[in-house]
Structures are given as structure tokens and as C-alpha cells.
Amino acid sequence: MTQAPATSRATRRQHDREIVSLAVPAFGALVAEPLFVLADSAIVGHLGTAQLAGLGIAAALLSTAVSVFVFLAYATTAAVARRVGAGETQAAIRQGMDGIWLALLLGAGVITLVLPTAPFLVELFGASDTAAPYATTYLRISALGIPAMLVVLAATGVLRGLQDTRTPLYVAVAGFLANAVLNAALVYGADLGIAGSAWGTVIAQWGMAAAYLVVVVRGARRYGASLRPDAAGIRASAQAGAPLLVRTLSLRAILMIATAVAARLGDADIAAHQIILSLWSLLAFALDAIAIAGQAIIGRYLGADDTQGARDVCRRMVQWGITAGVVLGALVIVSRPAFLPLFTGDAAVKDAALPALLVVALCQPVCGVVFVLDGVLMGAGDGPYLAWAMLATLAVFTPVALLVPLVGGGLTALWAAMTLMMTVRMVTLWVRTRSGRWLVTGATR
């Protein structure tokens, strides 16, 4: 970051209040979302192993389809927050509506693609003959909820840009509860089996989308913003999201390469890798909550032409990220012996996971900085740089990861490569924030 005078204690307290007020509800919403799959798994698991296997395959495909479009939330948050900072609330909501219309169009496109190709996609994932019919059924029905989930992403971005992370928390919790009740009622009460689980999730997802739309439409009417689709605005939303799509796909490629390498190390290593990856994802939720606060706050400061405020809050959030990383890392180290038995009783899996978990723990402060600076640059609308930085990170990580099976070191070496990947990300993001080139002010970037 560029140099700036030390901020006063009162200013730091103000920044802390802003960060906490946005990050804590955001963390709750982030944690609530994966509970959808957990609830489905718990209910479907009692139907049989083949049904649960089918759900697992379909859920992985659906998760990939939705996560690819997470830019709908990120880009919308930054754009709306800038407008809010500039005092243009009507234009902010109008821009948010463009993101929602884009989400509906993309969702319709995904449905058109998934419905006829569901059997092929399931086969591509290596489903067994017994699990494939259940996976296909669940995938086809659940695909109908993809537009709703993309609307949820875009509308969440609108509300975050408006500095509101509480409403997404309330909607996420209500959606989880509705999903659990509907699943149980349709799977067992209506005796629909795995199809009932899929329909319950679809209904809950559209209910969440409807709740968001009610909130956004009320805001649009209050400020006189148009609700009709605008071709130019939708194109602008797509263009703003394209670099973030490249960033997301590069990150997904890194995770897929890591899993493929772990699979080559042996059964115990891949099992341990999946356990560690689950924990790593959970830790990421806590750090991502600070990043979400960064997106909203930085966008607002830059929209208000306050570069000094943006620098100060960026510096404070980095301190938050480092502190959170240290705390999370210490928790991982302390809880390692108790954590692993929750997932496996296999001594070989534990032996592979224990040293790798130590590497993960030591990496958490680095992760804290990465997540925060990623959020800062997203809030600044610096998507093109984030895309190039992630492509460079992918280029560094890939050969290092592929060498792990050849040079030895097992899973610990693979997670050392993951730590290298996060370090490269930290360096590229730190260089950008130090340069000050992200400090572009105004209602639009």
C-alpha cells in the first residue's frame, strides 16, 4: 500500500465498527450456504448408499456451476458500493438490477445446457451404474434452481454494496431451515425419494430469490429506479464480471490440480487431502467475511473520492486479516489431534494429514492477507489485474504441484505447494496495493 500518515485511534475504532458490522453477518451467511448440501446429505443418506453417492456427484456439478458465476456477487458489490459512496443510490440500485437480469439470463443458459446433457455429465464424473440414475434425477431437477441461486448471488451483491450484510444472513438462515423441512417432508412424507430432496432444495432456492427480489424491488421503488432490463447495463455488468470469471476459473483449476496430484499419491493421501480441503474451506469462510466487508467499504470510499479513507481502511483490514490468520492457525494446531478422529479412524490417513495440517496452520496469516487484499481490489473494481495475477499464480503452482509425486514429500509437500501458491497471490496483491493504481475514484471505474 502507498504510505500514509498514521490513523488516529478514533478512526481505527470507526473502521473496526464498520468491518465488524459487515463481516460478522457475512460470515453467518457464508456458513449457512453449505448447510444446504449437509441437510440434503443427512436426509438422502438414509435412503441408501447409491442415493447418497448420486447426490454427491450431482451436488459437486451444481456447486461448480454456481461457483463459476460468483462474480455476480463480487462485481455487483463493487459497482453498487461506488454509486452509494458517490451519493447516487438510485443509480446504484439500477446497476444492481442489471446484475440481477444478467443472473437470470445466465441461469436460463445453464438450464438449457444441463437438462439434455445431465446423463453425460454424470458419466463424466465416473458415477457407478447404481448411482448414475439418482445423480441424473437430482441434477435435472436441481438445475431448475440454478437461476434462483444466481439471482441470490447478484442480489446479495446489491445488498452488500448498499452496506447491508444482515439481510443476506436472515435470508440464508431462513432458506436453510425451509430446505431442511421441505426435504424431510418430500423425501419421507411424500415418499418422493431423492427427487423429493431435489424439489425441496429448488423450492427453497426460489423462495430465497423471491425474498431478495422483494427487498431490491422495494428499494428501487423508494428511490425511483427502473426495474426493466437495460441491454447496455447488462452488457456492462457482464464486462465487469468477465475478469473475475477468469480469476475464479484459475482458482478452481488450482484446486482441481491439487486434488488430482493427491489422488496420485495414494488412497490414504487423497482421503487426508479431502479432509484438509474441507477444513481449509471452512477457514476460508472466516477470512472471506473480512474480504466481503472490504469489497463494500472500499467501493464506498472510492465512490466518495476519499482515497485516504480507502488507504486507511485497507491497512486496518490487513491487520484484521493477519490477526484472524494467526488465531485460526493456532486453533488448527491445537485441535489437530481432536479434529482428525471426527473424519477417520484410519491410522494411515491420520499420519498423512497431521504434518500437512501443520503446514495449513502456518499458512493462515498469509491467507488472511490474501483474502483481505483480494476483497480490497475487488471493491476497487480492479478485476483485470486480479485475473492476470491469478493466471500468473496458476502458472507458478502447476509445475511445482506436478513435481510433488516425483520428488517425494507426499501430502505435506503438496500443501507446501499450496502455501507457495498463497504466497505468490499475496505478493502479487501486495505489489498492486502498494502501487496505488487501484485507487480510481468516482461513481464508476
Side-chain angles (χ1 to χ4, degrees):
M1 292 169 291
T2 54
Q3 296 295 327
T7 54
S8 69
R9 185 173 299 178
T11 301
R12 287 198 299 270
R13 284 200 297 266
Q14 177 189 347
H15 291 329
D16 289 344
R17 285 194 297 270
E18 284 185 311
I19 294 167
V20 170
S21 66
L22 291 171
V24 172
F27 174 70
L30 288 168
V31 171
E33 290 172 8
L35 294 179
F36 268 82
V37 177
L38 287 178
D40 289 2
S41 299
I43 293 170
V44 171
H46 292 286
L47 295 175
T49 301
Q51 288 90 333
L52 184 58
L55 170 65
I57 292 167
L61 287 164
L62 291 164
S63 175
T64 300
V66 173
S67 64
V68 162
F69 298 111
V70 73
F71 70 84
L72 288 166
Y74 294 159
T76 305
T77 297
V80 171
R82 273 185 176 269
R83 295 283 193 180
V84 169
E88 301 178 3
T89 306
Q90 182 190 70
I93 296 176
R94 173 62 261 180
Q95 194 150 5
M97 284 304 306
D98 292 333
I100 290 173
W101 281 111
L102 176 61
L104 286 169
L105 290 173
L106 291 173
V110 173
I111 287 179
T112 303
L113 176 66
V114 170
L115 288 181
T117 61
F120 169 75
L121 293 173
V122 167
E123 183 181 354
L124 190 65
F125 262 58
S128 67
D129 292 339
T130 53
Y134 297 113
T136 302
T137 296
Y138 191 94
L139 180 59
R140 278 182 166 155
I141 296 172
S142 292
L144 302 177
I146 289 178
M149 291 309 296
L150 299 190
V151 167
V152 166
L153 286 176
T156 299
V158 176
L159 295 180
R160 288 174 181 170
L162 294 171
Q163 316 297 294
D164 176 10
T165 56
R166 292 184 181 274
T167 300
L169 171 61
Y170 301 148
V171 174
V173 171
F176 163 70
L177 294 174
N179 178 64
V181 171
L182 287 166
N183 267 257
L186 294 175
V187 171
Y188 298 118
D191 198 26
L192 295 178
I194 196 170
S197 176
W199 280 117
T201 300
V202 168
I203 294 169
Q205 289 168 339
W206 278 106
M208 292 173 66
Y212 275 116
L213 289 175
V214 167
V215 174
V216 174
V217 168
R218 283 178 179 171
R221 289 176 175 169
R222 184 181 307 123
Y223 292 98
S226 173
L227 298 173
R228 288 181 292 184
D230 175 68
I234 294 172
R235 281 197 303 272
S237 294
Q239 290 169 355
L244 296 180
L245 175 61
V246 173
R247 168 200 168 276
T248 300
L249 290 174
S250 299
L251 181 57
R252 297 292 297 187
I254 287 171
L255 297 178
M256 289 176 65
I257 289 169
T259 300
V261 170
R264 293 179 62 187
L265 297 176
D267 290 347
D269 289 282
I270 185 60
H273 177 73
Q274 289 304 113
I275 294 171
I276 295 172
L277 195 59
S278 298
L279 175 63
W280 196 66
S281 299
L282 179 62
L283 298 173
F285 285 137
L287 299 175
D288 202 25
I290 305 174
I292 287 169
Q295 294 171 30
I297 296 171
I298 291 294
R300 193 186 76 234
Y301 273 107
L302 294 179
D305 296 329
D306 187 356
T307 56
Q308 187 59 54
R311 289 191 186 99
D312 291 344
V313 78
C314 175
R315 183 176 294 103
R316 189 59 178 161
M317 281 187 290
V318 168
Q319 294 169 356
W320 271 75
I322 294 172
T323 301
V326 170
V327 171
L328 292 174
L331 287 174
V332 171
I333 291 174
V334 170
S335 65
R336 281 186 308 158
F339 171 75
L340 287 173
L342 297 175
F343 293 88
T344 181
D346 190 323
V349 175
K350 291 179 182 179
D351 289 343
L354 274 172
L357 275 174
L358 182 60
V359 175
V360 170
L362 295 175
C363 182
Q364 288 311 298
V366 174
C367 294
V369 175
V370 168
F371 275 82
V372 166
L373 294 183
D374 206 41
V376 165
L377 295 184
M378 283 185 190
D382 205 10
Y385 181 83
L386 290 172
W388 284 111
M390 189 59 80
L391 285 171
T393 302
L394 174 62
V396 172
F397 171 78
T398 301
V400 174
L402 293 178
L403 283 173
V404 168
L406 300 177
V407 301
L411 195 63
T412 302
L414 176 59
W415 277 94
M418 291 287 284
T419 300
L420 171 64
M421 178 271 293
M422 294 302 291
T423 303
V424 172
R425 288 186 68 189
M426 183 180 70
V427 170
T428 58
L429 297 173
W430 186 263
V431 167
R432 185 63 167 183
T433 51
R434 289 282 295 183
S435 74
R437 294 177 184 175
W438 57 280
L439 292 165
V440 179
T441 59
T444 59
R445 183 177 172 89

